[in-house]
Each structure stands twice: as structure tokens, then as C-alpha cells.
Amino acid sequence: MMKIFFITRSNVFYLASLLLFFFLATGCNNRKTAEKTALDSAYIVSYMNAEPQFKDQIGWAKSFYKARSYQLGWFKNNELVPQASKLIQIIDKSAEEGLDPKDYQVVDLRGLINQFKGSAKNEDLRDSLEKKIDLALSATYFNWAADYYRGLLGPRESKKADWDIKLNKMKLDLSLKSILDENKDDDYYFKPNHVEYANLKKALANYREVQSTGGWPIIPVGSTVQEGKSSAVVPLLNKRLAGYLVKDSTMLSSDSTTFSKNLKSALKQFQSFNGIAVTGRLDKKTIQILNIPVEDRIKQIIINMERWRWIPQSFEPDYLIVNIPEFRLHVYEKGQDKMTMKVIVGKALHSTPIFNDKMEDVVLAPYWNIPPGILKREVAPQAARDPGYLASKDMEVVIRGSNTVVDPKNVNWAAAGTSSFKYLVRRKPGPQNDLGNVKFIFPNSMNIYLHDTPGDQLFNQSKRDFSHGCVRVERPIDLAVYLLRDVKGWDKTRIEEQIKKGKERYVALNEKLPVYLVYFTASADANGRVRFFEDIYNHDKTLKSLYFSKL
């Protein structure tokens, strides 16, 4: 039999009471499941202004949280995500990057997290701690990432260190978004931008291990060795070169005083890795390099890691790079090293600048336009005294912006090298031309370019700083053939035919090629074995002073 339920005033009151009890029992006690803790712009600014070391990161924090509607980033279902502990671990180990962990331990993150774990029964405290921890983690990340990904030194300081390459402009708010959105618990998104940096980091660990055992022995000045002969310096040399010997070599533990074939091979490898003449002998330069303290090498590795932080986040797929202290050029295609060759760079008084641009043209049988400085100091005085001087040097004078040749007798040579000098002095294509047969142009205000040279014998030198600033390349025809491989009709035969004609010809690349002229005095392989190069322009000295004054 159906029962009819009549709604009365008392029944309504009863039902309302039941509903209220239900919401109090479920809604209040589980408030967190229905509403998320959130920040706001005022809280962010107030919190970060209260910590002087966070002030510079306010912009990144506001941008990061605004993009996520001010929702917390480091919590999921009211629990910290694994990336939080990963960040703390990375900061603890930041000395491995040549950085100081104390610079990023502004807040006691572990203490805050422990306090949070003990606040389960206090909703208000838990809410407050979530906001504080979330913002503290973000601010700490931005502090660390600014140094790790963009460099400890700022743009002005990098300029002081003679670095004019476009700096890495990695957006730290997007970087943090990537880390947290991916919800990874490994270090994938905490890795360096460049493998070369990671290799130097391994080298730093290796050299610090040597430092921890007291460094390496000093090789007495004037020591000599001869293969198969005994010398008191051999045990010291063996210990110093242990890292260059094969791992299963008995020389590693031998106390023999005989300068063996293995030890000579190790000495040659050391010389090669340090950019000095490979002789296998203990000459003055080799002993000098052997005795550089391990502490100095550690600093050298660290400042070169800093230089890699300045490099843009990623190179283009295809690019050309010249490492000035290494005296070497590399061409990369789709990230692979396709071609390498020796180069000659500027001497100290005419140092090759550090910058980047884009190559546009290959010039075959080029004229050499005499630079204003050389014209004023070297050419003009001779031409003023002897009207036949230019012809004897296969040079000519033309009106600037034309090919109209002018008699040197009619030129006011006193104005040479100034803005009022309306002429251009150039050396004709041919065997005397300082640019050789090929010039590679990437237009820049410093008038720096790559080119051939008639002085091929200079490439046999281990230290190759002989130019007035431009970069001379060892195999210009090979480089031209490679760069013009996609330009129809310009194969090796056509290139050589054009050169033989002795008439200047510009050939444009199909696509402009990024060119980087860089300055790295240390480079390591995947095992952390380092090649050191001489600081030919004393840039390391400047950078060390700037960098280590901040640590």
C-alpha cells in the first residue's frame, strides 16, 4: 500500500537540518578537495620583496603564476611534486657547476617542508605553508636557473670580458612551466643546454679529485728525458701524466726511472691536449704547462663553463664556429661536425673579436681592400714617398663606390684613413693578394671575415696568431665547395676556373649561415678529459676576476 508523505513545516526544518549536517560533515572536513589554494600578485610581490635575494626574480614569478591563474605550481592534490626534492638536491650540489650553493639557500626549504608535513590537522596553517613553500621553491628556482642557464655574470659584465655574442635569453618562467607540467621525477629538465658544458662539468669533478689528493708533483725546471734512458724525473712525470696513459699500463704503478715508449706517448698526448708543439721532449714550454697548479686549471674549467651558459640555448641546425684560442674552425650540419680545419687568428695587438653574424657570400678571386688603420700606418706613407710603390705591390687606387682607377700621384695621402678620404686602396686578385683566392663574408661593422692566405706555411705552427684580426682558413677551396654545394653550377671545377680568371666574383649562399667566433680555453670530451688552450688575449684573466669576486 502506497504511503503518502505530507510536507509540513516541521518536515522542511528536519530536512534542512539533515542537509546542513551533511555539508558540514563532508564539505568542511574536505574543503581542500573543493577549492584550491591560490596566490595573488600582491602576495607574490610582498613575499619576494621581503627577501632581498629574490627581488630580481619578481618579474619571472609574476609571469609564471599569472599564466596559471595564480594556482600553485609545486603541489598536486595538496602534496609536493617530486620536482621539489629534485630542485633541493640540485642546489645542494651546485658547487659541481662552479656555483655556490649558499647563493640559492636563501630559504630553509627543508624546514618549511617538514613543518608542512606536520600541519595536517591545522587547515589554516597548511594553506599558509603551501603558499609560502610554493613561492619559495619558484623564487629559488629562478635564482638558480638565472645563473645556471644564463650565467652568473650579467650582460654588462660579459661585455667587460670581451664577449659580444648574443646571450642566452632563455625564458625562466617557461622553463619552470616545462619542468612542472611534465611531472618528471628525473633530472631531464634540469640538464645544461650544451653537451660541451656537461663534459666540462665531468672535467671539473676529475680535477677536484686530483686536488683532494694534494695535486700533482712539480717537474723541476731544466729536467730532460730521453727514450730508453734513466732519469730521476721519470717517477714524477709518470705520476703527473697518469691520466694520459692507457689504464692497463704497468707504468701507472711503476717506480721505474726509465723514460719508456709509453711515457713518451703520454707526454706527446699531453702536449697535443695543451696546444703546444708535439715533440715528446721536456722542453721549457712543456714543463711550464705541466707545472700549472691544479687549482688554476679548476678555475679555468669553471670560467669556460660560464662562457657556455652565455651561449644561446641552442645553435641553429647548420652553423660555422671558430674557437679563437684553439686556432680551429668547425662546420656543423644538422648538429653533426661535417668539416674542421686549422685557422690563423689576430695577434694580440689586433685581436680577433668575439661575436656572431651570418655568412652571405663567397668571394672568388677577391680584391683586398686595405683597412683604414693599415692604410694610414703602413701604405699611405710609402705611396706618398714613391708613386710607383702601389704598382710594385700589385695595388691600385679607385674612387670609393666605383671601379674608376686613379693615379696615385693625384691622391692626398695625408687624408688616408680618415672619413674625408674618398678613395679605396686595394690589392688586385693574384698570387700576392693577402686574401688568397677566396673570401667568406658575413657583413659586420668590424670588417672581419674568413679568407684564404698565400702564407700556407704558417699553418704548421702550433700557435697561430699572426693576422690583423680576420681569420685565415687552412683549406679555403674545400670550404667554398662545401658552402656552395647547394648553389647550382658552382662545383669545385667552376670555382677553380673562376679563380684562374683573376676576376672578382661574388657568389651568394642559398641560405645565410650563422657564424660564431668564440673564445674557449678549455674543452672536454665525454669522459671529462680536457684540452687546454693558451689564453692568447688574456680574456681568462679578466673573466676570473669578475667571476670569482661573486662567489
Side-chain angles (χ1 to χ4, degrees):
M1 182 176 180
M2 184 180 293
K3 293 184 178 179
I4 299 174
F5 183 79
F6 293 98
I7 298 178
T8 66
R9 183 175 295 179
S10 59
N11 287 336
V12 170
F13 178 78
Y14 176 71
L15 286 170
S17 299
L18 283 174
L19 287 171
L20 179 61
F21 176 78
F22 175 78
F23 283 120
L24 287 172
T26 60
C28 278
N29 290 340
N30 295 282
R31 174 167 55 86
K32 290 290 215 157
T33 63
E35 59 184 72
K36 294 181 179 178
T37 303
L39 299 166
D40 59 57
S41 182
Y43 183 90
I44 293 169
V45 172
S46 174
Y47 176 84
M48 297 186 73
N49 270 326
E51 293 287 354
Q53 290 174 267
F54 287 160
K55 283 185 178 180
D56 290 344
Q57 314 305 338
I58 289 176
W60 293 119
K62 288 172 69 176
S63 180
F64 171 73
Y65 283 106
K66 183 179 180 181
R68 57 188 301 113
S69 300
Y70 294 97
Q71 298 300 311
L72 303 187
W74 296 84
F75 286 86
K76 186 174 182 180
N77 297 327
N78 307 117
E79 296 296 334
L80 277 165
V81 295
Q83 291 90 328
S85 60
K86 186 66 187 179
L87 175 62
I88 294 171
Q89 292 169 21
I90 284 174
I91 285 170
D92 287 345
K93 297 189 294 184
S94 56
E96 296 175 6
E97 318 291 340
L99 301 170
D100 186 350
K102 293 178 182 177
D103 288 344
Y104 317 108
Q105 294 166 339
V106 180
V107 175
D108 180 10
L109 290 171
R110 284 190 173 89
L112 283 173
I113 291 170
N114 287 335
Q115 193 178 352
F116 171 76
K117 289 177 180 177
S119 67
K121 295 181 180 180
N122 187 331
E123 291 284 354
D124 290 337
L125 177 59
R126 195 170 175 82
D127 282 355
S128 174
L129 285 171
E130 276 193 21
K131 291 196 293 185
K132 187 179 292 186
I133 291 169
D134 206 273
L135 196 47
L137 284 166
S138 295
T140 299
Y141 172 79
F142 292 136
N143 256 8
W144 170 82
D147 293 347
Y148 181 69
Y149 288 116
R150 296 161 65 96
L152 184 68
L153 303 184
R156 288 184 181 178
E157 291 166 312
S158 66
K159 287 273 189 182
K160 288 181 182 177
D162 295 288
W163 192 270
D164 200 25
I165 289 176
K166 59 181 180 181
L167 296 175
N168 179 14
K169 294 183 179 180
M170 183 177 184
K171 294 185 180 299
L172 302 184
D173 56 335
L174 298 182
S175 171
L176 180 54
K177 178 180 182 295
S178 296
I179 290 171
L180 297 175
D181 283 358
E182 291 296 330
N183 198 27
K184 290 181 179 290
D185 60 1
D186 59 21
D187 64 350
Y188 181 79
Y189 284 104
F190 290 96
K191 287 184 177 179
N193 291 327
H194 299 281
V195 66
E196 290 86 352
Y197 177 97
N199 292 344
L200 284 171
K201 180 180 175 180
K202 292 177 185 176
L204 179 59
N206 293 343
Y207 274 66
R208 279 180 168 161
E209 187 176 344
V210 172
Q211 183 186 35
S212 70
T213 59
W216 44 59
I218 298 296
I219 307 301
V221 175
S223 298
T224 59
V225 287
Q226 186 177 349
E227 187 176 344
K229 301 292 185 180
S230 180
S231 171
V233 78
V234 166
L236 297 176
L237 190 60
N238 177 50
K239 185 177 180 181
R240 174 66 180 87
L241 297 177
Y244 295 88
L245 294 165
V246 290
K247 289 187 177 180
D248 59 353
S249 172
T250 55
M251 289 300 298
L252 288 172
S253 57
S254 173
D255 292 326
S256 171
T257 59
T258 301
F259 186 60
S260 68
K261 184 177 180 180
N262 272 354
L263 192 52
K264 184 176 183 178
S265 176
L267 183 58
K268 283 183 173 182
Q269 193 171 17
F270 174 86
Q271 290 169 328
S272 174
F273 269 50
N274 286 273
I276 52 181
V278 180
T279 63
R281 297 191 299 271
L282 271 180
D283 50 47
K284 182 179 178 181
K285 185 68 174 180
T286 300
I287 292 175
Q288 178 188 341
I289 301 298
L290 283 165
N291 287 339
I292 292 175
V294 67
E295 291 79 11
D296 288 3
R297 288 307 198 191
I298 285 172
K299 288 184 176 181
Q300 189 173 353
I301 291 168
I302 288 172
I303 62 169
N304 279 279
M305 291 170 72
E306 171 73 359
R307 287 181 175 126
W308 275 111
R309 297 183 189 116
W310 297 342
I311 288 285
Q313 188 174 351
S314 60
F315 288 112
E316 297 82 351
D318 301 341
Y319 62 95
L320 183 153
I321 189 166
V322 173
N323 185 21
I324 296 167
E326 186 183 6
F327 308 112
R328 185 160 286 275
L329 171 156
H330 296 268
V331 179
Y332 286 85
E333 181 183 336
K334 295 181 174 59
Q336 300 298 313
D337 196 343
K338 298 293 289 188
M339 179 179 291
T340 183
M341 64 186 69
K342 297 175 182 177
V343 298
I344 293 169
V345 301
K347 60 189 79 171
L349 288 175
H350 305 283
S351 60
T352 299
I354 301 161
F355 73 107
N356 66 287
D357 216 300
K358 290 191 176 182
M359 187 181 295
E360 298 182 3
D361 298 283
V362 173
V363 186
L364 306 174
Y367 284 100
W368 179 44
N369 299 325
I370 314 300
I374 298 176
L375 177 64
K376 183 177 182 178
R377 291 190 308 270
E378 302 175 22
V379 176
Q382 297 271 24
R385 287 192 296 268
D386 178 9
Y389 172 77
L390 295 186
S392 71
K393 297 297 181 181
D394 210 21
M395 294 181 185
E396 63 184 10
V397 186
V398 296
I399 297 174
R400 191 174 295 278
S402 76
N403 283 317
T404 305
V405 179
V406 177
D407 190 332
K409 295 177 184 177
N410 300 325
V411 174
N412 176 18
W413 291 107
T418 69
S419 58
S420 63
F421 194 67
K422 62 181 181 179
Y423 304 106
L424 181 70
V425 180
R426 63 189 187 184
R427 178 165 279 153
K428 300 174 186 177
Q432 289 194 64
N433 193 293
D434 299 65
L435 305 185
N437 294 318
V438 192
K439 179 168 72 169
F440 306 88
I441 296 180
F442 38 103
N444 58 84
S445 61
M446 295 168 283
N447 198 29
I448 296 296
Y449 44 83
L450 310 180
H451 65 86
D452 183 14
T453 176
D456 290 344
Q457 72 281 358
L458 295 176
F459 288 106
N460 296 324
Q461 303 293 322
S462 57
K463 184 181 179 183
R464 297 185 293 277
D465 54 340
F466 306 114
S467 82
H468 279 81
C470 287
V471 178
R472 307 174 194 172
V473 298
E474 180 186 25
R475 303 195 325 270
I477 300 297
D478 290 348
L479 183 57
V481 170
Y482 177 80
L483 294 175
L484 299 179
R485 67 197 183 283
D486 298 329
V487 181
K488 189 176 181 180
W490 286 99
D491 58 9
K492 185 176 182 179
T493 300
R494 174 84 185 279
I495 289 169
E496 291 177 336
E497 287 174 351
Q498 182 63 42
I499 290 170
K500 286 178 183 177
K501 290 178 182 178
K503 293 185 178 180
E504 186 177 73
R505 177 70 180 268
Y506 278 64
V507 185
L509 276 62
N510 276 344
E511 292 187 13
K512 295 179 181 180
L513 182 71
V515 174
Y516 294 87
L517 303 186
V518 298
Y519 196 92
F520 290 102
T521 59
S523 173
D525 62 18
N527 296 316
R529 180 171 289 185
V530 196
R531 289 180 180 272
F532 291 107
F533 311 111
E534 187 177 345
D535 180 22
I536 57 174
Y537 300 154
N538 284 326
H539 291 339
D540 277 11
K541 183 178 180 181
T542 303
L543 181 52
K544 283 178 185 176
S545 174
L546 291 167
Y547 188 93
F548 291 103
S549 66
K550 289 204 163 201
L551 290 182

